[in-house]
């Protein structure tokens, strides 16, 4: 399992762990157990950046947090979001959409998606006051848990790709175990925060529905897009929770 933890951190972040972990089905499968907890680590780093930025007010703090999310992940999921939007909104055939998504060049819809994603997070995080730590931890952890959910229960649209590799290797037992432990931890800490997990699950479901109707399944890019959208949904849900619950 230790290899799964290291692989999860190496794949989802740019934290420089020098251990060489082979990308095989066993390590990929084990890594999915740690996805939400690696997400919590990402959220903690973003929360630290938010705290540091508070010297300049909440707007500066929000900007620092968004920047930290991009830097620690290397923009991995933003890239998936941009590729997905370029393809999905191109109004082309399924095969052409998949080609567009695989193209390394970014199009207009990809640029718009990135700008809107960053802007949405900035605006939402600007409304967070003292609860920025749980907000960012939940958003990042929920999104990675939702990604594993999609890997385990949806089909791939492009055989042979990185997304297909994760989809084939992701074991449901690791998803169930990781989800159970994570949800229990949240339930003990603050049951009302479970609403953020539900929001992420709904965002993931809507992403999957759109992917199925457009390309007949999911790809690695779609997983990345789902993570970005689930983060936004979780932050929005958190704002509702702290205001009304």
């Amino acid at each position: 399992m230790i290899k799964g933890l290291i692989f999860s951190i190496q794949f989802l972040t740019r934290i420089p762990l020098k251990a060489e972990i082979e990308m095989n089905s066993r390590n990929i499968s084990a890594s999915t157990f740690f996805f939400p907890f690696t997400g919590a680590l990402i959220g903690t780093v973003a929360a630290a950046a938010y705290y540091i930025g508070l010297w300049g007010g909440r707007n500066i703090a929000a900007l620092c947090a968004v920047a930290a999310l991009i830097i620690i992940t290397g923009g991995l999921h933003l890239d998936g979001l941009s590729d997905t939007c370029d393809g999905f909104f191109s109004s082309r055939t399924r095969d052409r959409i998949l080609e567009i998504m695989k193209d390394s060049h970014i199009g207009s819809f990809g640029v718009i998606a990135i700008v809107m994603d960053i802007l949405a997070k900035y605006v939402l995080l600007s409304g967070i006051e003292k609860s920025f730590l749980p907000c960012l931890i939940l958003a990042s952890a929920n999104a990675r848990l939702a990604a594993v959910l999609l890997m385990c229960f949806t089909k791939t649209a492009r055989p042979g790709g990185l997304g297909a590799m994760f989809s084939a290797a992701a074991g449901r037992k690791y998803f169930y175990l990781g989800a159970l432990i994570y949800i229990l931890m949240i339930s003990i800490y603050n049951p009302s925060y479970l609403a953020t997990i539900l929001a992420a699950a709904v965002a993931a479901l809507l992403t999957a529905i759109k992917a199925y109707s457009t390309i007949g399944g999911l790809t690695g890019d779609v997983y990345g897009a789902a993570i970005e959208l689930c983060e936004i949904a979780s932050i929005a849900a958190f704002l509702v929770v702290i205001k009304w619950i």
Side-chain angles (χ1 to χ4, degrees), residues 39-40 43-44 46-47 50 69 121 124-143 182 189 193 196 230-240 242:
T44 301
Y50 189 102
L69 287 172
K121 289 180 182 177
L124 291 170
L125 289 173
S126 296
I128 299 292
E129 296 182 6
K130 296 180 180 179
S131 300
F132 61 87
L133 178 60
C135 175
L136 285 162
I137 289 177
L138 286 167
S140 298
N142 292 348
Y182 176 68
Y189 181 75
Y193 288 166
T196 66
C230 288
E231 284 183 344
I232 293 172
S234 292
I235 297 171
F238 187 88
L239 284 170
V240 174
I242 63 174

Side-chain angles (χ1 to χ4, degrees), residues 1-197:
M1 290 293 285
I2 188 65
K3 288 185 178 181
L5 172 60
I6 295 172
F7 184 84
S8 175
I9 295 173
Q10 288 179 332
F11 181 75
L12 293 175
T13 77
R14 290 299 178 265
I15 296 175
L17 296 181
K18 295 183 179 180
E20 294 186 7
I21 306 297
E22 184 181 354
M23 183 180 280
N24 55 39
S25 59
R26 182 177 180 180
N27 290 335
I28 291 175
S29 181
S31 74
T32 58
F33 168 84
F34 296 102
F35 266 43
F37 308 108
T38 301
L41 173 62
I42 293 170
T44 301
V45 172
Y50 189 102
Y51 179 77
I52 293 171
L54 277 173
W55 66 270
R58 284 186 295 173
N59 290 336
I60 297 298
L63 181 61
C64 289
V66 174
L69 287 172
I70 297 172
I71 292 170
I72 193 173
T73 61
L76 175 66
H77 313 309
L78 277 176
D79 181 66
L81 176 66
S82 66
D83 287 342
T84 298
C85 289
D86 274 337
F88 281 17
F89 297 106
S90 64
S91 301
R92 305 293 180 86
T93 64
R94 175 187 178 277
D95 290 341
R96 180 56 183 149
I97 289 173
L98 289 172
E99 289 178 5
I100 292 172
M101 292 171 66
K102 195 174 182 179
D103 191 341
S104 59
H105 296 88
I106 186 171
S108 57
F109 285 112
V111 173
I112 292 170
I114 291 176
V115 171
M116 294 300 295
D117 179 276
I118 293 174
L119 184 60
K121 289 180 182 177
Y122 170 77
V123 170
L124 291 170
L125 289 173
S126 296
I128 299 292
E129 296 182 6
K130 296 180 180 179
S131 300
F132 61 87
L133 178 60
C135 175
L136 285 162
I137 289 177
L138 286 167
S140 298
N142 292 348
R144 275 74 187 175
L145 179 63
V148 180
L149 173 68
L150 294 177
M151 292 174 192
C152 291
F153 296 96
T154 61
K155 66 178 182 179
T156 182
R158 181 189 291 126
L162 184 60
M165 183 184 299
F166 270 85
S167 179
R172 292 188 181 183
K173 66 176 181 179
Y174 286 118
F175 166 74
Y176 288 133
L177 182 59
L180 177 62
I181 294 174
Y182 176 68
I183 291 173
L184 282 176
M185 290 171 63
I186 300 304
S187 300
I188 293 171
Y189 181 75
N190 189 334
S192 64
Y193 288 166
L194 293 174
T196 66
I197 301 178

